Amino acid sequence: MMPETTPELDQKYSGCVRKLYSIAPSFQVVGAAGYHPGLETMTDFAAFLGNPHKRLNTIHIAGTNGKGSVAHMLASALASVRPGSRIGLYTSPHLLDFRERIKVISTDYRRNGVYFREIGKQDVVDFLDRAGDFMDVRRPSFFEITTAMALDYFDRMKVDAAVMETGLGGRLDSTNIIIPQLSVITSIGLDHKDILGDTIEKIAAEKAGIIKPGVPVVVGDVPHEAFEVISAVAEQCGSRLYMAGDMCDDCVSAEAAALEADLHSDCQEKNIRTVLTALGVMGLGAVRKESSAYEAIVHAAAFTGLRGRWERLASRPEVICDIGHNVEAVTVSVRQLKELAGGRHLTMVFGMASDKDVEAVLRLLPKGARYVFTQAQGTRAMPCGRLRQMALEAGIACSRTAGRVADAFEAALDISSPDDIVFVGGSSYVVAEALEYWNEKMCNKKVN
């Protein structure tokens, strides 16, 4: 059996990814400058590749929060339905390796159920070589390139279906060239206001842009004003609209499933309810506790490799990381931390992107915790000194700064006793760098 990688391929793959970042900076690094609204380039890119999206059965997912969790749970459940099935899964951003964005979730009960496989390093290298001429002339964005790569890979892998998560918004998102069999909008909140609009209604209109004529849509937990916008778009498109919880009369309760789920955040009950409805709308029947779909939902993180969603890294001290980075997501995290902490000391490793509503998030954070403010790499990150000053103005007094996430994480561990809690969050990119540091720390510990 040939090895999946070699030192030569590792080097070639790493070089290709570095080149990709250099020629098409990602939104992750440069913010709005890396965002190309509109579908013309994406449509032409797909045509250059032979329109792979037209040969795929797809499910399209948008939303302010929860779309990543819903995408992973839904892909896991779909893969569990039939032995041998393969479900494509396209999400963003990645935390540790570029290839996390593009996965195939498969079922093989000889291998104990559902498992995932990321796009191969050789597949990445080959795609960038084949697409080089188009990229040189048209200069697509980073996200347009990764979307094209995902569609091409899923087509080549002949997946039974592909779950596609939007990157930003919906109406003008690169993924919106697909005509899915189902659209899902998980939630609506005030995030990316500089690009999507400064009201719930405007943001809802952008997310509702994924609704296609005659294609059913499932809507999760959204404010009333957002629902009014989404329902109006669905009516205009002749698309039947389902609320999360519909089609679930004979299903296991979302609350019970959330208690068993390996995605531990309090928001997962809402996300599971959305997934159960989506499966029902797709005609896959009610999910019961004894079913393979139930197992796939409650073990979605393990089955699909999802990380950074209220993930526990250690128990003494209890170390938790979560990528929530806006008011709605941080509200949930803070509530959970208060419930979890009891009388224990809490240390927060916290950093944010400067284009977020930093003041509003800081007002939510527990005032009695200790803080190590930090910043992820890239121009989007708010300088940790500025973040600390804003925290002081918000009433957070016990804090220090560390310019590198690894140093901040190490400092938090140093000042924490085995009975304490350490939380890492504020940005998916802070969590990504923290996980990289943690992996190295654990690897060195095993070696030593």
Side-chain angles (χ1 to χ4, degrees):
M1 183 176 179
M2 293 291 291
E4 292 189 1
T5 188
T6 63
E8 182 182 6
L9 177 56
D10 288 344
Q11 185 175 19
K12 188 179 296 184
Y13 164 74
S14 297
C16 280
V17 173
R18 285 195 301 271
K19 182 178 179 182
L20 174 58
Y21 275 105
S22 69
I23 64 175
S26 70
F27 184 88
Q28 166 183 346
V29 176
V30 299
Y35 174 61
H36 291 190
L39 301 179
E40 182 180 355
T41 301
M42 190 66 234
T43 300
D44 291 346
F45 203 167
F48 174 84
L49 297 168
N51 291 315
H53 62 297
K54 294 184 177 180
R55 293 183 290 274
L56 294 171
N57 297 315
T58 55
I59 299 93
H60 206 184
I61 302 179
T64 302
N65 293 310
K67 62 183 183 291
S69 294
V70 167
H72 283 78
M73 285 190 284
L74 188 54
S76 184
L78 290 172
S80 75
V81 171
R82 189 176 72 250
S85 62
R86 292 190 288 185
I87 305 298
L89 177 60
Y90 176 57
T91 58
S92 60
H94 63 272
L95 293 180
L96 295 173
D97 186 343
F98 171 83
R99 296 182 301 136
E100 294 168 25
R101 295 169 178 259
I102 303 170
K103 300 175 182 177
V104 172
I105 316 301
S106 305
T107 305
D108 183 346
Y109 290 107
R110 293 171 299 177
R111 296 180 61 174
N112 198 29
V114 180
Y115 64 98
F116 72 95
R117 181 172 183 173
E118 296 170 351
I119 185 172
K121 293 180 178 180
Q122 188 66 56
D123 296 299
V124 174
V125 171
D126 290 346
F127 175 85
L128 294 175
D129 182 59
R130 284 189 291 116
D133 290 343
F134 182 89
M135 291 164 56
D136 289 342
V137 174
R138 295 296 297 274
R139 294 294 178 181
S141 71
F142 180 89
F143 193 70
E144 286 167 336
I145 294 169
T146 60
T147 301
M149 186 185 299
L151 294 170
D152 180 77
Y153 182 68
F154 295 153
D155 181 45
R156 290 173 177 271
M157 291 293 290
K158 300 188 184 305
V159 298
D160 298 282
V163 178
M164 305 290 294
E165 178 194 9
T166 61
L168 185 64
R171 182 175 64 92
L172 300 177
D173 189 78
S174 302
T175 59
N176 208 28
I177 64 170
I178 64 175
I179 305 296
Q181 64 184 101
L182 176 68
S183 302
V184 180
I185 300 174
T186 59
S187 67
I188 301 292
L190 292 172
D191 199 9
H192 298 296
K193 293 187 291 185
D194 55 331
I195 295 174
L196 302 180
D198 57 0
T199 68
I200 288 291
E201 291 88 349
K202 290 178 182 178
I203 293 174
E206 292 298 318
K207 306 286 186 184
I210 69 168
I211 300 174
K212 303 298 192 305
V215 176
V217 56
V218 173
V219 180
D221 184 31
V222 301
H224 174 74
E225 57 268 38
F227 178 76
E228 291 295 313
V229 172
I230 295 168
S231 61
V233 174
E235 185 175 359
Q236 292 168 7
C237 290
S239 302
R240 186 166 180 180
L241 187 149
Y242 298 84
M243 293 299 297
D246 294 346
M247 311 285 289
C248 292
D249 289 346
D250 296 324
C251 289
V252 65
S253 79
E255 181 180 12
L259 291 174
E260 290 193 50
D262 59 4
L263 292 171
H264 299 291
S265 172
D266 284 352
C267 64
Q268 296 306 338
E269 180 182 338
K270 297 175 181 178
N271 292 334
I272 291 171
R273 190 172 292 111
T274 300
V275 171
L276 295 176
T277 297
L279 293 170
V281 173
M282 294 173 69
L284 297 176
V287 176
R288 297 183 175 87
K289 189 165 185 177
E290 64 275 10
S291 67
S292 60
Y294 176 81
E295 288 296 309
I297 290 169
V298 300
H299 295 116
F303 287 174
T304 65
L306 179 61
R307 301 195 66 183
R309 274 69 170 180
W310 200 259
E311 181 178 352
R312 284 182 171 86
L313 300 178
S315 57
R316 289 182 61 81
E318 189 164 8
V319 180
I320 297 169
C321 63
D322 190 86
I323 66 169
H325 53 263
N326 53 43
V327 168
E328 291 80 8
V330 173
T331 297
V332 174
S333 293
V334 169
R335 183 174 67 243
Q336 284 187 259
L337 282 171
K338 288 179 178 178
E339 293 172 354
L340 183 66
R344 294 187 288 172
H345 289 296
L346 170 63
T347 302
M348 305 275 286
V349 177
F350 209 79
M352 293 191 69
S354 56
D355 53 5
K356 299 299 180 183
D357 193 346
V358 177
E359 290 183 358
V361 168
L362 288 173
R363 286 196 296 269
L364 296 171
L365 299 181
K367 302 299 186 291
R370 298 171 298 201
Y371 287 82
V372 185
F373 290 111
T374 188
Q375 62 194 73
Q377 299 177 43
T379 58
R380 284 183 69 204
M382 172 165 282
C384 56
R386 173 60 181 150
L387 186 58
R388 185 189 185 205
Q389 180 58 42
M390 294 178 69
L392 280 170
E393 295 167 3
I396 296 173
C398 186
S399 67
R400 65 176 74 177
T401 62
R404 294 175 62 250
V405 173
D407 293 339
F409 201 174
E410 187 70 39
L413 293 171
D414 285 345
I415 64 175
S416 299
S417 75
D419 294 326
D420 291 348
I421 299 174
V422 175
F423 177 83
V424 183
S427 162
S428 56
Y429 312 119
V430 167
V431 171
E433 292 182 30
L435 287 174
E436 184 175 11
Y437 159 80
W438 184 260
N439 287 351
E440 291 176 0
K441 183 181 179 71
M442 291 300 100
C443 181
N444 291 336
K445 187 175 181 179
K446 289 177 183 178
V447 170
N448 296 330

